[in-house]
Amino acid sequence: MKKKHLHKKKVSFTKKWSSKLHLWLGLSVGIIVFIVSLTGTLYVFKDEIQNSLRKEAIYVQKSSTSPLSIAVLKEKVSLELNEKYPLSTVEISLDKNKSYRFSYYEKNKKGWNYFEEFKINKLVYVDQYSGKILAVYDEKYSFFTILKYIHWSLLLNSEWGKYVVGIPTVVFIFMLITGIILWWPKNKKARKGRFWFSWKNVKTWKRKNYDLHNVLGFYASFFALLISITGIYFAYPYVKNTFNLALSGSLEQPKDKEIKSPDSLMLKNASVYDLTAQQTRKLYPTSSSFRIPLNGKNKKGKELKNIPVTVYGKEGQFSERNALAFDKYSGKLLAEKPHQKLSNAEKYANANYDIHTGSYFGLFGKILWFITGLICTSLPVTGFLVWWGKQKKQGKKI
């Protein structure tokens, strides 16, 4: 028998529709939200874990002799590994106790899934003083790389697979907003009991589960909104354009014209990469590392007109980036674009990845993002159990 309530509380129009939207949206994208949240959470401490596991490959004994030529090291790696694809880049740390990192990276845009899209993605650690190859890691099949691409595109082609994740992320943003509306009480007295768990006289798991969903969801929602918005920044151009407009007053960022090497008529200097490395060290002696392309092509596969060098200011972060361009024949410096001279929109574009992963805020940010990720992973589960419990309860009454 159903008990009749004489004084039934009236639910506001906003809360009524927020409840319906929260339920419908949650049931429609809950599984994807769970997968994306879990993979993102596990990825947060990727650098710390990987650096610890690869310690023997990362660090070398500092030598009194100068490092071998980049051209010599490049040839040595190519001959020893005998890959059918050319070496893509070399990343050089300003810390002389750290090894050089050569990479192979080639994509097939037509591949419909992750494994077909990436032809090769290998990282080679080399002792720059002896030329010894310390370790070779097939990043294509590494745990963290696969985690990253499950998070990014559910292992589908990264160009269109990002929308398979992007659409549920937009839906999740609406769920977070409706969740805050549902949590928000009518008065201050009721609000006090919603900031923490009151389980003194609560024995049923259903009530505890409901409180977990509500209380933890509320605390995580504000950080989760930031993580979600920085996530769809990568997927949707209109989100990026909105940030550009807000930060710099223009929908698009200024495009840098690629400067053609003026010394194209002269013979290529065999030490051109060493000249660029030497000048980069002088210009940015306090930076973390810099990356030099070795195959003469950009990420889209087009031929480079010069040698663009990216300088990273802080280890484990991409937000502070400086750009240099060198003549690809003589090694002469052609252009410099330091981090300080970037527009606000350009600075944010460089920082978005660090904000998304929490590394922008240091170790504290990573810990906070990890906890937020765990809560976001639990929300589809606790939310489903709340709905399932109500369905069973209604079934009993009938």
Side-chain angles (χ1 to χ4, degrees), residues 22-158:
H22 195 76
L23 173 62
W24 295 336
L25 297 176
L27 291 174
S28 63
V29 300
I31 294 173
I32 295 177
V33 169
F34 175 82
I35 294 168
V36 172
S37 298
L38 180 61
T39 51
T41 304
L42 294 174
Y43 192 81
V44 168
F45 289 106
K46 171 243 180 186
D47 289 341
E48 287 77 5
I49 296 168
Q50 209 165 67
N51 290 346
S52 178
L53 294 173
R54 298 180 180 183
K55 194 178 288 184
E56 291 184 5
I58 293 171
Y59 293 96
V60 295
Q61 285 188 347
K62 188 178 175 181
S63 175
S64 57
T65 59
S66 298
L68 294 173
S69 163
I70 293 172
V72 169
L73 293 170
K74 178 189 173 187
E75 188 178 0
K76 187 174 177 63
V77 172
S78 298
L79 287 171
E80 197 163 327
L81 296 186
N82 195 28
E83 294 287 350
K84 63 177 180 178
Y85 302 104
L87 279 163
S88 306
T89 63
V90 60
E91 186 168 344
I92 299 171
S93 175
L94 270 290
D95 184 347
K96 293 180 180 180
N97 290 319
K98 286 187 176 181
S99 59
Y100 285 12
R101 296 196 299 173
F102 288 85
S103 67
Y104 289 96
Y105 187 85
E106 197 82 25
K107 286 179 76 175
N108 170 26
K109 291 181 180 179
K110 294 179 181 179
W112 72 271
N113 63 49
Y114 165 79
F115 297 103
E116 288 186 8
E117 182 184 5
F118 288 88
K119 295 177 182 178
I120 190 170
N121 184 9
K122 282 187 178 180
L123 198 58
V124 186
Y125 290 81
V126 180
D127 185 330
Q128 63 269 33
Y129 302 108
S130 66
K132 181 185 176 183
I133 293 176
L134 302 171
V136 180
Y137 294 98
D138 194 342
E139 300 290 8
K140 179 178 176 177
Y141 299 102
S142 77
F143 174 72
F144 284 109
T145 307
I146 290 174
L147 265 185
K148 178 183 175 180
Y149 282 95
I150 294 173
H151 184 78
W152 172 254
S153 61
L154 297 182
L155 293 182
L156 300 170
N157 180 289
S158 58

Side-chain angles (χ1 to χ4, degrees), residues 207-352:
R207 179 65 198 185
K208 288 180 179 179
N209 178 72
Y210 179 82
D211 287 347
L212 281 170
H213 187 77
N214 271 6
V215 177
L216 294 181
F218 171 74
Y219 282 115
S221 57
F222 300 100
F223 299 110
L225 278 169
L226 179 59
I227 294 168
S228 300
I229 292 166
T230 53
I232 60 173
Y233 178 93
F234 294 116
Y236 298 107
Y238 68 83
V239 176
K240 190 173 185 177
N241 292 342
T242 303
F243 272 82
N244 292 339
L245 186 64
L247 294 168
S248 295
S250 176
L251 284 172
E252 292 186 3
Q253 294 174 21
K255 290 183 179 179
D256 295 325
K257 290 183 179 179
E258 194 177 13
I259 305 166
K260 187 178 179 180
S261 291
D263 298 331
S264 58
L265 297 175
M266 68 178 288
L267 288 171
K268 188 172 183 178
N269 190 323
S271 302
V272 67
Y273 294 124
D274 294 292
L275 288 169
T276 62
Q278 188 179 4
Q279 291 177 79
T280 302
R281 284 191 184 98
K282 284 182 180 179
L283 287 166
Y284 297 96
T286 59
S287 61
S288 171
S289 64
F290 57 93
R291 189 187 295 265
I292 304 173
L294 299 175
N295 60 357
K297 293 180 180 180
N298 61 17
K299 285 185 177 181
K300 293 180 180 179
K302 291 182 180 179
E303 187 180 348
L304 292 167
K305 294 178 182 178
N306 52 54
I307 301 174
V309 176
T310 306
V311 185
Y312 302 104
K314 296 177 182 178
E315 189 175 356
Q317 292 187 3
F318 298 97
S319 52
E320 193 178 311
R321 268 182 262 183
N322 308 282
L324 299 168
F326 295 91
D327 189 286
K328 65 180 180 180
Y329 299 99
S330 66
K332 184 169 64 181
L333 180 65
L334 302 176
E336 180 184 2
K337 195 172 184 181
H339 171 76
Q340 291 81 2
K341 290 187 179 180
L342 297 177
S343 67
N344 289 332
E346 288 173 313
K347 284 179 181 177
Y348 181 80
N350 288 344
N352 188 73

